[in-house]
Amino acid sequence: MALQIRPVTGTIGADVLDVDLARPLDPTTVETLHAALAEHSVLFFADQHLTTEQHLEFARQLGRTNPAHPAPRTGLTELPEIYVPVTHPPVSDGAAAPRWHVDHAYMAEPSSIAILRAVDVPGLGGDTQWASTAAAYERLSPTFQQFLEGLTIVHNAPADWTRHVNEYGPGRWNDQPVHEFGPVEHPLVTVHPVTGRRQLLLNPNTTPTAIKQLSADESTVLLDFLLRHVTRPEFVVRYRWAPGAVVAWDNRATLHAPVGDTPAGTTRLLHRVSLQGQRPAGVTR
């Protein structure tokens, strides 16, 4: 039976049915998954129950994998491409604020696609959300779009990645050594290399992040507005994790964030593999 793609919202996300990710995929299926990712940005695969090795092999069928992170010793010792995201405990009132972000935006060539696998998930809480930065951009006024297209956003890596490099030596990214992390500039509005859609490249989880052409106060006001806009309910899909679930998303066209409502004393363990990307391209006029 051919796989089925079923959208789950009007703007982002689709369930993928009738596919076994534990088996090698034929070229037509791989092509269909890439097309579905370009169209829906996030794909949900239920009841897969992959091993760690099968997870990695599935990712390799979609593209070239990166190390877990551009700092050394951040992945599993035996499989350094597997990253284990940190699950932050709830704050005192039982909920943690979501940390919306783009993976590796502080690199010159952020990852293109990410594949996240449920290893151990609670029966309640710990969902993940994704927001479509293309759909959000398209809902802005033409005048505001034109203003944004001329701006450059500056990203800095989290301090702990610099500490890893200092402790363990250079890591690698896109087959190149990474000796240090410095500020990286990207267009605020990028053009998707597959669809040609214009989208916003925000990373609120990277501190500090600023608009190069604006003052600090102006940057703060603009980025706060854009984050609120991008994460409006009509641009967001929320996924409830279940045993065996796998999610693939387009890192170039989305923001994502965990929901910090995992009950105390429960476990939420996910593994991620990311695929190599390219330098984001801005709008040419």
Side-chain angles (χ1 to χ4, degrees):
M1 182 182 295
L3 61 80
Q4 301 179 59
I5 310 293
R6 294 184 180 176
V8 296
T9 79
T11 55
I12 180 173
D15 289 325
V16 183
L17 309 176
D18 300 317
V19 64
D20 183 357
L21 302 183
R23 297 177 178 273
L25 304 178
D26 61 79
T28 299
T29 298
V30 172
E31 183 178 350
T32 300
L33 292 179
H34 273 293
L37 266 173
E39 180 177 359
H40 302 289
S41 297
V42 189
L43 301 180
F44 305 109
F45 305 84
D47 299 318
Q48 295 296 321
H49 300 281
L50 303 182
T51 66
T52 304
E53 291 76 12
Q54 289 169 338
H55 177 195
L56 185 55
E57 184 55 35
F58 166 55
R60 287 170 174 166
Q61 292 178 82
L62 296 182
R64 297 189 65 185
T65 57
N66 277 318
H69 254 290
R73 300 192 189 183
T74 50
L76 297 180
T77 301
E78 66 278 14
L79 293 172
E81 294 153 299
I82 302 287
Y83 177 62
V84 182
V86 176
T87 298
H88 298 279
V91 294
S92 58
D93 63 356
R99 301 174 64 189
W100 289 98
H101 63 285
V102 176
D103 289 340
H104 316 122
Y106 50 85
M107 299 300 294
E109 298 176 333
S111 58
S112 58
I113 293 169
I115 301 99
L116 198 60
R117 176 177 69 97
V119 178
D120 189 3
V121 293
L124 183 67
D127 296 357
T128 302
Q129 306 170 94
W130 287 265
S132 171
T133 59
Y137 169 83
E138 290 162 359
R139 289 284 294 272
L140 297 170
S141 68
T143 300
F144 198 48
Q145 289 175 348
Q146 187 173 21
F147 167 67
L148 297 178
E149 289 168 5
L151 300 180
T152 303
I153 189 167
V154 182
H155 301 273
N156 289 270
D160 53 344
W161 297 129
T162 298
R163 177 176 54 80
H164 275 296
V165 171
N166 291 335
E167 286 185 18
Y168 304 127
R172 297 190 69 83
W173 193 252
N174 278 12
D175 300 324
Q176 299 297 318
V178 177
H179 295 279
E180 60 183 10
F181 296 100
V184 173
E185 298 180 1
H186 292 307
L188 178 59
V189 178
T190 64
V191 179
H192 195 282
V194 177
T195 66
R197 293 177 77 184
R198 298 180 184 186
Q199 58 215 2
L200 297 163
L201 177 51
L202 307 171
N203 192 26
N205 199 30
T206 306
T207 304
T209 303
I211 303 298
K212 185 177 180 180
Q213 294 85 355
L214 303 180
S215 70
D217 288 344
E218 291 167 341
S219 294
T220 297
V221 170
L222 177 59
L223 292 174
D224 284 350
F225 164 77
L226 290 176
L227 179 60
R228 291 195 306 271
H229 176 71
V230 169
T231 56
R232 284 165 48 178
E234 59 265 42
F235 307 134
V236 172
V237 63
R238 176 167 170 165
Y239 188 67
R240 183 175 182 179
W241 290 99
V246 174
V247 178
W249 74 90
D250 190 331
N251 191 54
R252 301 161 294 194
T254 58
L255 289 174
H256 61 281
V259 178
D261 62 346
T262 306
T266 61
T267 299
R268 181 183 184 272
L269 177 61
L270 308 173
H271 284 179
R272 189 199 68 206
V273 180
S274 64
L275 304 184
Q276 291 185 10
Q278 60 195 65
R279 181 179 287 274
V283 177
T284 58
R285 299 176 180 173

